[in-house]
Amino acid sequence: MDNIYDILIVGAGPIGIACGIEAKKNNLSHIILEKGCLVNSLYNYPINMSFFSTSERLEIGDTPFVTTNPKPKRAEALEYYRRVERKFQLNCHLFEEVNIIRKADDIFHVNSSKGNYMARQVIIATGFYDIPMYLNVPGEDLPKVRHYYDDPHYYANQKVIVVGASNSSIDAALETFRKGAEVTLVVRGPEISPRVKYWVRPDIDNRIAFGEVKAYFNSNITNITDEEVEIETAEGTILLKNDFVLALTGYRPNFSFLRKIGVEVPDAAPCIPVHNPETMETNVEGLYLAGVVCGGLNTHLWFIENSRVHANLIILDILKKNLTS
């Protein structure tokens, strides 16, 4: 039975790494499978992004996260989690996507893009950043439409429409504006989201007030062409000349994958996967959820700072089960 891991973790983000650390601390054999690079979601964040949380709230494994900035930058977080993973010498397999997980005779059989594994317990820590919330409008598949944003320089001197009112949208609007883009915000609701970072909110409010960034509230994009974008506003339909559309309308967990491996996910929003919040165990015995994937479409509920505890809850439950078995 030596070829059966105590724990197999899907996802090598901060919470997946935290689960691996807790497993190792408690002498539980583990393997972490990650379809991309280490902390893949963080790697795909905008290059200039600053975290909302302070560095101490992003710490895992009782390892200090030292920075001279009030809020750590993306590059600092990447280096921190890389060093933490190296410090604990976790059994982490990168660029290895999990295809299917099935349970037979109390053992999970996991097939990936590179091999097959067996484990007594499985932890899903896949986050929510892989699947965008699409606009579902004609022209959304054009090359000019982007659902991820990285570097503002690319959009210098271009006519850019940014869709959304959250932190990612507002950061993109301000950064591209400062690189010389002609920026238009299209917001479905009546105002900028109240969850926008408090030090950013006055900046975007002033840019809109001074007419430096045009904003259409209570509005939706209805059609995209190579040269224009059609917007349904409160005053009627307008057409804007346009070079790029940054549709930063949020992301969602991979519900199809969760359902495929047996996790019950309600069809109705917010589609929170079935799990016990005290142990993080799903309806499948021995299969756990950790991190932001637990929130379904409520992606604003869970962050690194408040889901770090999931690792402790899961390992504690596994240890209790081992004692009683």
Side-chain angles (χ1 to χ4, degrees):
M1 301 289 283
D2 291 341
N3 60 338
I4 301 178
Y5 292 99
D6 291 317
I7 300 172
L8 184 143
I9 301 163
V10 184
I15 306 306
I17 293 173
C19 291
I21 291 170
E22 290 305 312
K24 191 159 189 179
K25 283 182 177 179
N26 288 278
N27 298 313
L28 297 170
S29 61
H30 76 282
I31 182 171
I32 304 175
L33 302 182
E34 165 59 57
K35 73 175 184 178
C37 65
L38 193 68
V39 289
N40 190 66
S41 292
L42 299 191
Y43 175 78
N44 286 301
Y45 281 0
I47 290 174
N48 299 322
M49 194 206 79
S50 294
F51 283 83
F52 195 104
S53 304
T54 54
S55 60
E56 61 268 21
R57 295 190 174 189
L58 301 176
E59 293 173 356
I60 58 175
D62 297 318
T63 303
F65 184 170
V66 179
T67 174
T68 58
N69 294 309
K71 310 285 184 179
K73 299 282 191 178
R74 165 190 170 274
E76 293 177 303
L78 292 177
E79 182 64 9
Y80 170 74
Y81 292 115
R82 184 188 71 81
R83 287 177 176 266
V84 169
E85 191 273 339
R86 177 66 62 88
K87 170 186 173 180
F88 288 96
Q89 297 183 321
L90 301 179
N91 183 21
C92 195
H93 291 209
L94 303 176
F95 302 102
E96 183 167 355
E97 184 171 6
V98 171
N99 298 318
I100 188 62
I101 301 171
R102 60 182 181 84
K103 189 177 183 183
D105 299 326
D106 294 326
I107 297 296
F108 290 95
H109 299 259
V110 181
N111 170 262
S112 78
S113 58
K114 295 182 179 180
N116 296 288
Y117 306 91
M118 292 186 290
R120 294 179 177 86
Q121 287 92 21
V122 169
I123 301 172
I124 306 297
T126 48
F128 69 91
Y129 201 57
D130 291 329
I131 302 177
M133 298 288 286
Y134 293 105
L135 301 175
N136 295 316
V137 299
E140 189 171 8
D141 57 346
L142 290 172
K144 67 187 275 187
V145 182
R146 311 287 172 85
H147 293 94
Y148 295 90
Y149 162 77
D150 48 11
D151 191 328
H153 173 81
Y154 189 82
Y155 303 99
N157 306 324
Q158 301 297 291
K159 292 179 173 62
V160 178
I161 288 178
V162 180
V163 186
S166 63
N167 280 297
S168 57
S169 303
I170 301 309
D171 284 346
L174 289 170
E175 290 181 6
T176 53
F177 158 72
R178 292 197 162 91
K179 294 298 182 181
E182 181 182 315
V183 178
T184 301
L185 264 176
V186 176
V187 180
R188 182 174 58 182
E191 62 179 356
I192 301 299
S193 170
R195 291 194 294 270
V196 166
K197 291 172 281 195
Y198 65 85
W199 64 91
V200 173
R201 181 62 181 261
D203 193 0
I204 188 63
D205 285 344
N206 285 329
R207 301 293 72 73
I208 293 172
F210 292 135
E212 295 168 317
V213 171
K214 178 67 176 177
Y216 291 97
F217 296 101
N218 298 311
S219 300
N220 291 283
I221 287 181
T222 51
N223 190 45
I224 303 170
T225 67
D226 287 326
E227 297 182 353
E228 294 180 321
V229 170
E230 181 182 89
I231 306 172
E232 187 67 37
T233 75
E235 287 75 37
T237 301
I238 62 171
L239 291 176
L240 292 182
K241 292 288 185 182
N242 169 256
D243 299 305
F244 289 99
V245 175
L246 295 176
L248 307 178
T249 50
Y251 308 91
R252 64 175 180 83
N254 191 337
F255 296 130
S256 296
F257 174 74
L258 292 177
R259 292 184 176 113
K260 186 169 70 171
I261 64 176
V263 178
E264 294 179 8
V265 181
D267 292 327
C271 305
I272 295 175
V274 172
H275 67 282
N276 182 344
E278 295 181 359
T279 65
M280 310 311 296
E281 189 173 30
T282 68
N283 56 285
V284 179
E285 185 177 0
L287 180 61
Y288 297 83
L289 301 180
V292 296
V293 68
C294 303
L297 293 175
N298 287 338
T299 54
H300 62 281
L301 294 182
W302 293 108
F303 307 94
I304 297 171
E305 66 180 71
N306 66 352
S307 63
R308 296 177 297 179
V309 297
H310 293 173
N312 302 83
L313 294 174
I314 293 168
I315 301 304
L316 180 61
D317 188 62
I318 290 172
L319 292 173
K320 285 181 178 179
K321 288 181 176 180
N322 290 346
L323 287 174
T324 57
S325 62

